[in-house]
Structure formats: structure tokens, C-alpha cells
Amino acid sequence: MPPAAARTARGAPAFDRRWLGPRHWPSWGIAGLAWLLQCLPQRARDALARLVLPLVWRLTGRQQHNARINLGLCFPQQPPEWREQVLREHIALAVRVTLDYGLLWFGSATAIGRAVRFHGEEHLAAARAEGRRVILLVAHALALDFGICAFGIRHRALGPYKALADPVIDWLIARARTRFEGSVFEREAGMRPVIRGFRDGQILVYLADEDLGPDGAVFVPFFAEPKATLATLGRLAKLGDARVIPSVTRWNAAEGVYDCFHLPPLADFPSGDAERDARAMNAAVEALITPEPAQYMWTLRLFRTRPSGRAKLYKQRKTPPAGG
């Protein structure tokens, strides 16, 4: 979607009638399938996920390649068998979560509220009682959008959004994040939307674990590997006099719900030292990932920016993975 595209008052892309043309019919087919799936019983989606998993495994060679690199760098102390098991669980979880996206795109607030449970809301209430603003430090878990969408039913929230190449899918995902009390803004907009949001009493949803390049980044550990980490969160917390509350959403297969966990706010944050704050942020994200590593988006190119002298990673595989 081009930067000049029209946007709604909440920052999502406005619907464009040109998207109804034949070029975009495959995307509308995906949307129709998502609508149909959200009408089915949960056990039907569970069964379908198991059925298509071998095919998905065969088609995701590049993503698996990225994930193996990331898991190897982050968990060198673990045996290869452990890392491979995490990867297989990750792909299975990704399939299962994807089949629920119709709920976010078309489900009612009541249905979404039943599907997502919140834990640790007292940490937000305590920050508000202190007269502090709140920054939600969110990990890139597979169920990320379920937590963000459901959070927007309960709270007025604001977060950055990166447009997708497919304008129809981009519209559906951004619309899901802004259907209720949520708003989004493009990263290129800079600090102005954040300042306006703070003044308006919105909670800032901050996604900190992507590699966005060397500008404004410092290299600090992420698990066992140095990672280019934006040193922005400390400045935002100081700017807004805000408590930073780590948050992650996970799929709970045993109970058939999504659990969104809010942890206690970061202590002594910000410290005034950019590198120390970046390390504290990464440590908080690590704490969100560690209980269930397979739920994290290991397919991201987390270490795309390398320290001086380190080899580049994530070269494309030329052969598909074996087995399934």
C-alpha cells in the first residue's frame, strides 16, 4: 500500500473500491475462507490444522531456514533435537492460529472477548492509579493480533503498523486492530502520533523485537546473540512518564483460548543509559518467550543487522525441507 493511501480516523487504510477488481479476487477468496472458518466449531479448525500441516511444512522452507538460524543463535546450549522440536511445534502453532483470523476480521466483540483471556490487568490499573501513562511492551508472538484486537475492546490503545504488500489483507488486519478502541500509525510518522496519543490518554503498544536496521540501534544481547536493538523505549517512557508493562499472547490448546499475560512493569526504567535500557527491554522480551518458546515468531529475520565483522545471515535455501 503506498504511503499516500487514504486512512481512517484511527489510522487504518481506508477501503478502496479498486480492490474489488479481478486482480484482488484471490485475497477476497482468503477472506471468504476465513469468514467460513470462524463459523465452524473449534474442533473443526483443530482437525483442519492437523490435516494441512504436512503441506505447510513442505511449503515453508525459507521460514524454517530463518527460524533454525535464530534458534541456533539464541539457544546454542540446547541440543539440535530440542531446537528442531521447537521449530516443528512453532509451525504447527502458526497453522492453528492462522485458521482463527476470521474471528478477528469478522467476529463480534463478544466472541473475541470469549476467545481471549487477560491476566495481570492489575498492573495497568496500578499504573493508572499512580497517574502514570502506560506503554505495553509486546513480544512478536504468533497470537500477537489476538491480544491487540481484544485489548482494543477494553482499552484505548495506539500502536505502530507496517503495511503489507497485499492491500486487501493489509486492510483486514489493520481493520481488526482498529475495530474497537485501537488506533494505528505508520512508523515513518515518527514521534508525533505517540505524543498526541500520550496527551489523549491512550496506551502505547510497542513492538520492540524486530530488526529495523542500524539507525538508532545499539547491539545488546538477545538470549545468547548480540542484536541490533532500537534504543527508543527508554526515551518514550521518559517522554510520557510511563510505566512499561511487558505483554504476550499465547494460544492455549488445552482450553481452546488465547491467554494474554501482562507482567509487572520494568523496574528502574528508564535508567538514562540507552544501552542499559535496551538490554533491560530485551531481557523482558526473553522472559515473555521462555515459558513457551514455540509461540514466538522465530521466522523473523531477528539478526539481519550484524555487528562489524560478523557474517550476514538468512541466505535463501534452494531446496525444500525434507519430511513433514
Side-chain angles (χ1 to χ4, degrees), residues 64-294:
Q64 293 173 39
H65 176 64
N66 291 351
R68 286 189 177 96
I69 290 173
N70 292 333
L71 288 165
L73 291 173
C74 291
F75 303 105
Q77 77 283 6
Q78 296 288 355
E81 296 79 10
W82 181 90
R83 297 194 294 267
E84 191 67 15
Q85 182 60 33
V86 169
L87 172 58
R88 288 183 174 273
E89 292 176 7
H90 169 80
I91 298 297
L93 283 164
V95 173
R96 180 60 190 85
V97 169
T98 299
L99 296 184
D100 277 345
Y101 260 80
L103 175 66
L104 303 184
W105 295 350
F106 307 110
S108 66
T110 300
I112 294 169
R114 285 197 303 264
V116 183
R117 300 186 304 198
F118 285 88
H119 310 266
E121 287 268 276
E122 66 272 13
H123 302 307
L124 280 77
R128 290 289 184 82
E130 294 174 355
R132 307 287 293 275
R133 296 182 177 92
V134 173
I135 298 175
L136 212 62
L137 173 60
V138 178
H140 266 94
L142 292 167
L144 164 72
D145 277 303
F146 291 83
I148 290 178
C149 182
F151 190 80
I153 297 173
R154 294 166 168 248
H155 304 280
R156 295 174 58 250
L158 171 72
Y161 182 76
K162 182 179 179 181
L164 303 178
D166 185 319
V168 174
I169 303 302
D170 178 64
W171 175 73
L172 287 166
I173 292 177
R175 177 177 172 272
R177 293 188 181 186
T178 59
R179 286 177 66 194
F180 305 107
E181 294 294 326
S183 301
V184 296
F185 65 92
E186 291 185 292
R187 294 183 187 276
E188 292 77 11
M191 297 287 287
R192 190 172 298 174
V194 176
I195 295 171
R196 285 201 303 264
F198 277 153
R199 288 175 178 168
D200 195 35
Q202 292 177 296
I203 293 174
L204 175 63
V205 176
Y206 187 81
L207 295 154
D209 42 354
E210 285 186 281
D211 183 340
L212 298 177
D215 292 346
V218 295
F219 283 99
V220 293
F222 182 68
F223 289 104
E225 183 71 12
K227 180 180 180 298
T229 304
L230 287 180
T232 307
L233 183 60
R235 296 199 298 272
L236 290 173
K238 182 178 180 181
L239 173 69
D241 186 28
R243 291 287 193 191
V244 177
I245 297 177
S247 179
V248 67
T249 305
R250 307 186 187 110
W251 167 242
N252 183 334
E255 299 186 51
V257 297
Y258 291 90
D259 284 314
C260 183
F261 297 93
H262 302 319
L263 275 55
L266 301 189
D268 303 318
F269 192 93
S271 68
D273 182 295
E275 189 167 321
R276 178 180 173 184
D277 288 346
R279 176 60 193 128
M281 181 181 71
N282 280 0
V285 175
E286 292 169 16
L288 296 171
I289 295 169
T290 299
E292 295 189 46

Side-chain angles (χ1 to χ4, degrees), residues 32-49 96 99-100 102-103:
L33 179 60
W35 178 85
L36 177 63
L37 287 172
Q38 60 95 26
C39 296
L40 298 177
Q42 187 181 103
R43 62 182 179 276
R45 295 194 294 276
D46 292 340
L48 181 59
R96 180 60 190 85
L99 296 184
D100 277 345
L103 175 66

